[in-house]
Amino acid sequence: MESLRRPGPVRTCVGCRRRELAADLLRVVAWSSPESFGDSVTVVPDPQRRLPGRGAWLHPSSVCLSTAERRRAFGRALRVSGQLDISALEHYLENRHEHS
């Protein structure tokens, strides 16, 4: 009897903590622009999974986004401290729902 194999890597959503195939989750990364002084870090979506740096995984839904924000999961998962700006991620998720 053959063992059942999943088609691809499995990741955990930082919002709801459910494990899913990476193909079903959105990768996000912390982006600190060179001209930003201080501790302002932006969390940006990485749908192509090509941006450098440590990534975190999230279901592309506003429920998981708000849960992750409430739990302060982005800072821990991305190993960054300071103020995190998730407006780019919110904007991406809003536009994604408009086009689906």
Side-chain angles (χ1 to χ4, degrees), residues 68-86:
E69 183 181 21
R70 182 174 42 85
R71 293 179 54 241
R72 298 181 183 150
F74 289 118
R76 283 192 306 276
L78 297 170
R79 295 184 182 168
V80 295
S81 60
Q83 187 66 31
L84 295 179
D85 178 14
I86 62 165

Side-chain angles (χ1 to χ4, degrees), residues 3-11 19-25 49 57:
S3 65
L4 296 176
R5 299 184 87 181
R6 288 189 166 177
V10 175
R11 301 289 185 257
R19 292 172 54 85
E20 299 282 346
L21 291 174
D24 298 333
L25 298 173
R49 300 181 178 112
W57 299 84

Side-chain angles (χ1 to χ4, degrees), residues 40-56:
S40 176
V41 176
T42 304
V43 178
V44 296
D46 183 17
Q48 302 300 317
R49 300 181 178 112
R50 299 287 186 264
L51 292 177
R54 183 174 181 84

Side-chain angles (χ1 to χ4, degrees), residues 12-35:
T12 302
C13 173
V14 295
C16 66
R17 305 292 298 154
R18 285 197 326 249
R19 292 172 54 85
E20 299 282 346
L21 291 174
D24 298 333
L25 298 173
L26 173 66
R27 182 177 187 260
V28 298
V29 296
W31 184 260
S32 181
S33 64
E35 60 270 355

